[in-house]
Amino acid sequence: MSNSPSGVSRRDFLHLGSAAVVGSAVASQFPMSANAYYSTNDEIKIGLIGCGGRGTGAASQALSTSQNVKLVAMADAFQDRLEDSLTNLTNPDADFAEKVAGRIDVPEDRRFVGFDGYKDVIALCDVVLIATPPGFRPIHFEAAVNAGKHVFMEKPVATDAAGVRRVLAAAEQAKAKQLNVVVGLQRHYQRVYLEWMERIHAGMIGDLTTARVYWNSGGVWVRDRASLEADAGRALTEMEYQMRNWYYFNWLCGDHIVEQHIHNLDVGNWGFNALPIKAQGQGGRLVRTGLDHGEIFDHHYVEYEYADGRRMISQCRHMPNCTNRVSEAFHGTNGSAPNPGVLVSSSGHDLYRHNSKGDPNPYQVEHDELFAAVAAGEFKYTDGENGANATMTAILGRMATYSGKEIGWDEALASENRLVPDTFSWDAEPPVMPDADGRYAIPVPGEINVL
Ligand SMILES: NC(=O)c1ccc[n+]([C@@H]2O[C@H](COP(=O)([O-])OP(=O)(O)OC[C@H]3O[C@@H](n4cnc5c(N)ncnc54)[C@H](O)[C@@H]3O)[C@@H](O)[C@H]2O)c1
């Protein structure tokens, strides 16, 4: 099967990452050209961990690529989520049905339910898709890299600094093993952003001075305890409840500044080509006050400062019936970038206006590019480090708004304030518990220690 100069088959690359087999000296001699020597069309086995909305979407996109792919194993904490996902993926009326036909082979003995199913899935596949709530990401990503598997993982990649450090270490390992890693910060795969950034970085509006980034929206789903228990026909353990209603618990979600606003913060860093050195801000919860709203805020405002004194101004809000804005903007010495794809001179005339008509869906592009690289035996994608840094930027903002204090990047990244437990079981107490009235402690600025 192998006609590579190193005697490495594409099957080996799929399983181990080329460097693990080839050895780094040889690998660096042929850093991006491994594909030139592979001509087989081996099936690429895909495993899915976290079979919710995004995991199902990611699987449908992976299976819609033009490579020889097959979904062979799935894991979810809950059986019903896994079965629903499989039903959706095999729905003959789905718009992707034709593309994925014949590419799904997940018999019952390759469906894994519970906290440990990820291990079985990783063992069975070549490329792992990870789309659980982000609290689990460091554990799953590290396990996939240790096993030598290529990875697509959703953002954010952690909910605390300890998790970010774990992802940074695993991302280094992935590079050493030449494993492709794509992170679902899809703006990096979206034409309007790529064209915009290219022109910004080429200096079309001069030197950037300020960034403004926004995720102001009406909010997301709530999976309330009463309905969940009615569906189950019994009382849920606190762990079951928090795992179902994960958005509202920081060990699982990280708060919405981490879970959603990460996209915009990442774009700010991308524009500046830098990471912030400190942040200060404020936030709280005004409309998100129900028992099922857990412990997270509904608004955050943060000023991030970079080493050269530049600022990124960040707003995120989850409140219905307000003015919504999800976007990014930059100001430069010779003009501004008021919205993605738009550049305007200081005197107000258009320098560039991207027409997005016909642009490919970035969620699909992520998978097209990842699977093309894997199929060709190429090592091209190292998104893990940026995913970790974008996540840390958002966690830094959360630390600033929760504490009401100015927090430095280095002290935030070194924080030992761990949110995620080391072991998981359905009977275990989650890291935060409700009081006698069913309420969770809400961070109070000036009172809580976030470091
Ligand atoms: N890039 C994007 O634009 C985008 C869009 C939506 C969601 N996402 C991300 O995707 C992730 C999932 O979001 P979602 O909307 O699909 O949520 P979801 O609740 O629909 O799905 C999450 C699934 O993971 C399962 N799960 C939880 N813990 C698990 C574990 N330890 N092992 C296996 N399965 C586990 C849950 O039971 C659930 O089925 C989040 O990180 C979210 O931020 C990204």
Side-chain angles (χ1 to χ4, degrees):
M1 189 161 77
S2 167
N3 57 355
S4 85
S6 59
V8 179
S9 71
R10 199 178 72 86
R11 193 77 236 155
D12 291 333
F13 175 82
L14 286 176
H15 277 300
L16 296 164
S18 54
V21 183
V22 179
S24 55
V26 180
S28 61
Q29 248 179 290
F30 304 102
M32 307 298 260
S33 59
N35 63 317
Y37 304 101
Y38 298 104
S39 57
T40 58
N41 189 27
D42 290 341
E43 185 176 89
I44 301 171
K45 294 185 166 51
I46 299 172
L48 172 61
I49 303 169
C51 309
R54 185 78 273 276
T56 306
S60 75
Q61 280 133 9
L63 294 171
S64 298
T65 62
S66 54
Q67 313 308 325
N68 181 9
V69 288
K70 189 162 275 181
L71 181 65
V72 299
M74 296 166 75
D76 199 280
F78 296 106
Q79 174 108 35
D80 59 303
R81 300 301 309 261
L82 193 155
E83 299 299 337
D84 283 354
S85 175
L86 204 45
T87 303
N88 289 332
L89 285 168
T90 51
N91 177 359
D93 297 327
D95 54 6
F96 50 76
E98 228 171 88
K99 288 186 176 146
V100 310
R103 293 178 155 198
I104 299 172
D105 180 20
V106 190
E108 273 184 29
D109 62 352
R110 293 203 295 264
R111 300 175 202 168
F112 303 99
V113 173
F115 288 106
D116 288 334
Y118 72 94
K119 296 177 186 166
D120 298 293
V121 166
I122 288 170
L124 286 165
C125 65
D126 305 308
V127 180
V128 193
L129 313 179
I130 310 176
T132 63
F136 294 104
R137 201 84 75 248
I139 300 167
H140 297 166
F141 177 53
E142 182 185 83
V145 171
N146 284 345
K149 306 302 165 84
H150 303 276
V151 172
F152 168 82
M153 61 176 165
E154 265 306 339
K155 46 45 70 173
V157 300
T159 56
D160 60 12
V164 170
R165 295 195 298 271
R166 200 164 169 178
V167 170
L168 284 170
E172 275 308 302
Q173 274 301 309
K175 275 193 223 167
K177 292 183 171 185
Q178 300 208 346
L179 299 168
N180 288 292
V181 176
V182 168
V183 171
L185 289 164
Q186 70 274 2
R187 285 160 173 74
H188 292 272
Y189 296 83
Q190 190 168 356
R191 198 166 286 164
V192 59
Y193 281 92
L194 292 166
E195 298 285 335
W196 195 47
M197 280 298 169
E198 192 180 316
R199 287 165 176 79
I200 287 172
H201 289 153
M204 208 176 229
I205 56 169
D207 296 328
L208 295 187
T209 57
T210 310
R212 290 181 287 117
V213 297
Y214 307 85
W215 191 296
N216 292 337
S217 72
V220 300
W221 50 262
V222 180
R223 294 167 187 155
D224 68 279
R225 196 188 298 261
S227 308
L228 289 168
E229 295 193 339
D231 285 351
R234 61 174 174 83
L236 300 185
T237 67
E238 183 62 23
M239 180 64 89
E240 287 174 314
Y241 167 65
Q242 292 192 16
M243 286 285 290
R244 292 273 188 193
N245 194 27
W246 62 264
Y247 209 97
Y248 299 92
F249 299 96
N250 281 326
W251 67 278
L252 287 162
C253 164
D255 201 317
H256 68 106
I257 188 172
V258 176
E259 209 276 336
Q260 282 189 317
H261 193 37
I262 180 176
H263 282 296
N264 322 101
L265 296 167
D266 170 49
V267 171
N269 289 343
W270 186 11
F272 283 165
N273 266 326
L275 298 173
I277 56 162
K278 56 185 173 180
Q280 62 87 23
Q282 49 196 291
R285 45 192 264 162
L286 289 170
V287 301
R288 211 175 230 167
T289 55
L291 294 183
D292 291 298
H293 291 137
E295 57 177 340
I296 71 173
F297 280 3
D298 57 19
H299 63 284
H300 304 254
Y301 172 90
V302 185
E303 287 183 25
Y304 290 89
E305 186 173 334
Y306 293 74
D308 54 11
R310 292 189 290 187
R311 300 288 202 281
M312 169 164 67
I313 312 299
S314 127
Q315 297 180 18
C316 60
R317 180 175 60 208
H318 275 187
M319 290 185 196
N321 309 317
C322 299
T323 302
N324 292 336
R325 178 170 185 182
V326 177
S327 78
E328 307 84 14
F330 293 96
H331 299 267
T333 49
N334 294 334
S336 66
N339 270 304
V342 181
L343 297 173
V344 179
S345 74
S346 301
S347 56
H349 69 264
D350 274 9
L351 298 169
Y352 177 70
R353 194 166 281 270
H354 182 78
N355 179 357
S356 294
K357 199 163 172 242
D359 283 359
N361 174 354
Y363 292 96
Q364 185 59 51
V365 175
E366 289 171 336
H367 291 273
D368 288 345
E369 296 199 5
L370 170 63
F371 282 90
V374 171
E378 289 181 326
F379 170 53
K380 281 176 81 173
Y381 297 101
T382 57
D383 292 357
E385 186 179 353
N386 183 61
N389 284 330
T391 302
M392 193 61 226
T393 304
I395 291 173
L396 173 65
R398 183 190 71 211
M399 287 177 166
T401 61
Y402 278 15
S403 68
K405 299 199 168 104
E406 183 176 277
I407 308 274
W409 175 277
D410 291 342
E411 59 179 339
L413 182 57
S415 168
E416 284 299 333
N417 187 358
R418 289 165 188 263
L419 304 186
V420 184
D422 290 328
T423 57
F424 306 91
S425 84
W426 294 116
D427 295 329
E429 280 197 358
V432 289
M433 290 294 287
D435 65 14
D437 297 327
R439 294 204 169 271
Y440 300 85
I442 311 302
V444 178
E447 288 183 14
I448 74 156
N449 174 26
V450 292
L451 289 173

